[in-house]
């Protein structure tokens, strides 16, 4: 009798399948190993327990941390305000409410897509070339993509809700503005405030990352300490950062809707005043790029000549391959670790390791790995994947903690082993939500390839940085366009995957 159904892996095995990437990556790492960095790596580990307590170093790092916090606060508040306004005008529901048709909302969403498709590091490098070194460059580099992302979240929140009160008000002749204020906005205010609180943590990580690439703050101090192999100073900065991130996490979890709103409104004044105390340059940035030298026909000819000079298939292929490898490391790592070490101590140790992975920006992780192995695409994938593994580990553990352990208890009573109970009791229930979030994370990883592509010497991010360094603006335009199209395509794929697993999780 012929088989009519398709063979599918069991549900709890799906989050583990990406972990198949570990054997070939480890084999490549073993082939690229060199022993020159073992002594330095041991010094780095020891320095974690002996951070520098030099008052001069600590004073400089505390100042750098404050600059990073101010940058994060200003960019976050600006992106929240602009993002909510853009979200309202890109919502189908609101356009139907105002004009009776939703056609304009589709065009606004498409216009916003390029803004959010570029990583904040690319925005930072572009703005740096145009406006020179200024504190506002880092703020705008974060605020631009974050505002577009916030607009998408706001529009999706509004359009995905069926609000009976809004229909009732409209049928009774209520105006557009009273209907929006009374029925629509309160319905998603709480979930939006949670997302805004999460974005503040993301803004802090982005501000730190921009600092690693020379835009000031604690990230610059960490990068200089790493490059000069001053591991004790590096760890004093990392512990300061860990305390700041922990405090921010506790604070944002306790803030309600009103306090989040008040913080957004007060942040610009607080940030500007705080920045002046630290002598930050918050003056209006001046245009540095000589745009007057560009003529229309000259720019067009230069762009046409630059197009065939880049190996596009190789660049795009290596970017996609880097994304796939890093995503596999990030998604498959946490369930594999918990399966191999499921006990109480194992969970505690893995939580600590996930926290350290989130603490390290991917470029610093890449520099550490370079102490042991030669640069390669696989090494870049591991560096990027480990940072996101820390994020995915926290997501998986939060999902497991929020679920009932009744199935696992029943399996334990029937004599099943601890690993089998965890696999089919705990992980089976959390798999769909975990995979839904993993689909979103793949989209983020694709954007982050620009951060570590330099290590692998391949990909669009590497070529973009090379072109920016040589002021090859004609090729920069094509590379930015290619990056935007690729990340938008990745965004569409991740949305479909996310919706698939979210619907599965909801039993739809």
């Amino acid at each position: 009798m012929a088989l009519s159904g398709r063979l599918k892996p069991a549900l709890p095995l799906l989050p583990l399948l990406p972990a198949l990437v570990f054997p070939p990556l480890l084999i490549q790492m073993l082939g690229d190993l060199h022993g020159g960095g073992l002594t330095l790596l041991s010094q780095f580990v020891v320095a974690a327990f002996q951070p520098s307590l030099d008052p001069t170093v600590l004073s400089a790092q505390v100042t750098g941390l404050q600059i990073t916090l101010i940058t994060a606060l200003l960019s976050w508040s600006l992106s929240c305000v602009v993002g909510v306004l853009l979200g309202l005008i890109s919502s189908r529901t609101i356009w139907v409410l105002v004009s009776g048709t939703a056609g304009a909302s589709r065009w606004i969403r498409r216009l916003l897509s390029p803004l959010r498709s570029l990583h904040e590091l690319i925005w930072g490098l572009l703005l740096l070339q145009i406006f020179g070194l200024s504190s506002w460059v880092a703020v705008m580099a974060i605020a631009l993509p974050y505002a577009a992302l916030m607009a998408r979240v706001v529009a999706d929140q509004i359009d995905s809700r069926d609000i009976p009160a809004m229909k009732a008000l409209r049928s009774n002749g209520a105006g557009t503005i009273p209907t929006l204020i009374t029925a629509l906005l309160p319905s998603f205010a709480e979930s939006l405030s949670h997302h805004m609180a999460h974005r503040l943590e993301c803004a802090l990580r982005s501000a730190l990352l921009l600092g690693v690439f020379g835009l000031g703050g604690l990230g610059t101090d960490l990068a200089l300490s790493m490059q000069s192999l001053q591991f004790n100073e590096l760890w004093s900065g990392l512990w300061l950062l860990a305390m700041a991130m922990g405090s921010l996490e506790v604070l944002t979890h306790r803030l309600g809707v009103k306090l989040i709103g008040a913080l957004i409104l007060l942040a610009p004044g607080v940030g500007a005043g705080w920045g002046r105390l630290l002598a930050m340059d918050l003056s209006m940035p001046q245009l540095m790029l000589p745009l007057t030298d560009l003529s229309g026909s000259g720019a067009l000819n230069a762009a046409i000549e630059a197009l065939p000079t880049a190996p596009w298939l190789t660049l795009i292929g290596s970017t996609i391959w880097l994304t796939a490898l890093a995503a596999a490391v990030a998604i498959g790592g946490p369930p594999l670790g918990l399966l191999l070490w499921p006990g109480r101590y194992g969970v505690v140790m893995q939580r600590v390791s996930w926290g350290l992975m989130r603490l390290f920006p991917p470029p610093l992780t890449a520099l550490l790995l370079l102490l042991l192995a030669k640069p390669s695409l696989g090494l870049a994938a591991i560096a990027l994947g480990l940072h996101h593994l820390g994020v995915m580990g926290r997501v998986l553990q939060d999902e497991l903690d929020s679920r009932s352990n009744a199935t696992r208890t029943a399996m334990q009573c029937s004599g099943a082993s601890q690993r089998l109970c965890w696999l089919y009791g705990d992980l089976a229930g959390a798999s769909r939500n975990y995979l839904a979030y993993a689909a979103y994370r793949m989209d983020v990883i694709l954007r982050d390839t620009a951060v570590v592509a330099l290590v692998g010497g391949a990909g669009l991010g590497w070529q973009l940085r090379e072109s920016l360094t040589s002021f090859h603006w004609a090729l920069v335009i094509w590379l930015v366009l290619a990056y935007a199209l690729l990340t938008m395509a990745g965004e569409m794929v991740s949305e479909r995957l996310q919706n698939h697993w979210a619907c599965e999780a909801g039993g739809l």
Side-chain angles (χ1 to χ4, degrees):
M1 185 174 66
L3 292 174
S4 57
R6 290 183 300 172
L7 292 176
K8 293 182 179 179
L11 179 61
L13 297 181
L14 291 178
L16 288 166
L17 284 178
L20 293 173
V21 77
F22 283 109
L25 280 179
L26 290 176
I27 290 172
Q28 182 185 349
M29 283 283 291
L30 288 175
D32 293 339
L33 276 180
H34 57 77
L38 284 176
T39 304
L40 290 175
L41 190 64
S42 63
Q43 292 174 0
F44 169 79
V45 174
V46 172
F49 305 97
Q50 300 172 344
S52 173
L53 299 178
D54 186 331
T56 306
V57 172
L58 289 178
S59 174
Q61 291 180 342
V62 169
T63 302
L65 178 60
Q66 292 181 75
I67 292 173
T68 302
L69 286 170
I70 293 169
T71 303
L73 199 61
L74 289 174
S75 57
W76 171 73
S77 62
L78 188 60
S79 66
C80 287
V81 173
V82 177
V84 169
L85 294 175
L86 291 174
L88 292 175
I89 64 172
S90 60
S91 163
R92 290 190 298 272
T93 301
I94 289 183
W95 274 98
V96 169
L97 192 68
V98 173
S99 64
T101 176
S105 65
R106 287 194 291 271
W107 287 105
I108 296 173
R109 286 185 181 221
R110 287 174 185 169
L111 289 174
L112 292 177
S113 295
L115 290 180
R116 65 171 178 265
S117 64
L118 293 182
H119 191 274
E120 48 269 27
L121 174 61
I122 297 179
W123 278 114
L125 294 174
L126 288 172
L127 294 173
L128 189 63
Q129 301 295 331
I130 296 173
F131 295 108
L133 190 58
S134 164
S135 299
W136 282 112
V137 167
V139 173
M140 294 305 299
I142 300 171
L144 280 171
Y146 274 36
L149 283 167
M150 183 65 70
R152 177 183 164 191
V153 171
V154 171
D156 288 346
Q157 288 272 341
I158 296 172
D159 295 341
S160 63
R161 292 169 187 268
D162 183 20
I163 307 169
M166 188 175 71
K167 297 177 181 176
L169 286 171
R170 290 296 287 169
S171 61
N172 285 313
T176 302
I177 300 299
T179 302
L180 286 175
I181 295 174
T182 307
L184 188 58
L185 297 182
S187 66
F188 69 97
E190 186 171 355
S191 61
L192 184 61
S193 72
H194 290 320
H195 180 78
M196 288 176 169
H198 169 67
R199 298 309 300 182
L200 180 55
E201 295 179 37
C202 296
L204 179 60
R205 296 178 199 279
S206 296
L208 181 76
L209 180 64
L210 291 176
V212 171
F213 285 89
L215 287 177
L218 184 61
T220 302
D221 295 329
L222 296 181
L224 292 174
S225 298
M226 183 69 199
Q227 290 165 3
S228 58
L229 304 180
Q230 299 297 319
F231 297 133
N232 302 86
E233 296 180 7
L234 175 70
W235 272 106
S236 62
L238 288 172
W239 288 130
L240 281 175
L241 177 65
M243 287 189 284
M245 292 177 69
S247 303
L248 187 63
E249 185 175 341
V250 172
L251 176 67
T252 52
H253 283 178
R254 292 178 181 275
L255 293 179
V257 177
K258 293 181 179 178
L259 290 177
I260 285 286
L263 185 58
I264 290 172
L265 297 177
L266 292 174
V270 172
W274 193 1
R276 287 194 184 92
L277 292 177
L278 297 173
M280 284 180 67
D281 179 17
L282 292 172
S283 58
M284 186 65 69
Q286 301 296 317
L287 192 64
M288 303 292 289
L289 185 68
L291 296 178
T292 52
D293 294 345
L294 299 177
S295 63
S297 59
L300 181 61
N301 290 334
I304 293 173
E305 291 174 0
L307 181 59
T309 60
W312 294 106
L313 289 178
T314 303
L315 292 176
I316 293 173
S318 56
T319 302
I320 294 174
W321 185 234
L322 175 58
T323 303
L325 290 177
V329 170
I331 297 169
L336 179 64
L338 290 173
L339 177 66
L340 296 177
W341 199 3
R344 180 188 303 173
Y345 296 111
V347 171
V348 171
M349 291 301 294
Q350 288 178 78
R351 280 190 168 186
V352 172
S353 66
W354 294 335
L356 289 174
M357 290 176 191
R358 293 196 303 272
L359 186 64
F360 276 83
L364 293 187
T365 306
L367 288 175
L368 281 175
L369 292 176
L370 285 174
L371 296 177
L372 295 175
K374 294 182 290 187
S376 66
L377 201 65
L379 186 141
I382 292 174
L384 183 58
L386 286 178
H387 176 75
H388 290 278
L389 189 153
V391 178
M392 293 303 297
R394 178 183 171 184
V395 170
L396 179 59
Q397 195 57 52
D398 288 346
E399 183 66 27
L400 292 172
D401 291 343
S402 67
R403 291 184 169 273
S404 167
N405 58 4
T407 306
R408 181 183 58 186
T409 304
M411 292 181 70
Q412 284 174 334
C413 294
S414 63
S417 67
Q418 188 179 19
R419 287 193 177 84
L420 204 60
C421 292
W422 185 85
L423 183 62
Y424 288 99
D426 294 340
L427 185 59
S431 291
R432 290 191 172 95
N433 282 342
Y434 180 73
L435 290 171
Y437 186 83
Y440 161 74
R441 207 69 205 173
M442 287 172 60
D443 185 28
V444 178
I445 291 172
L446 175 60
R447 291 189 181 91
D448 282 1
T449 54
V451 176
V452 295
L454 193 64
V455 177
L460 290 168
W462 167 77
Q463 184 64 59
L464 181 59
R465 293 200 64 192
E466 291 290 309
S467 302
L468 281 169
T469 305
S470 58
F471 303 103
H472 194 346
W473 291 106
L475 187 55
V476 167
I477 293 172
W478 288 114
L479 287 166
V480 168
L481 182 62
Y483 223 115
L485 292 174
L486 186 61
T487 49
M488 280 192 285
E491 191 176 274
M492 292 172 62
V493 172
S494 70
E495 273 185 2
R496 292 179 69 87
L497 289 172
Q498 195 175 5
N499 290 335
H500 169 76
W501 288 113
C503 290
E504 291 281 338
L508 299 177

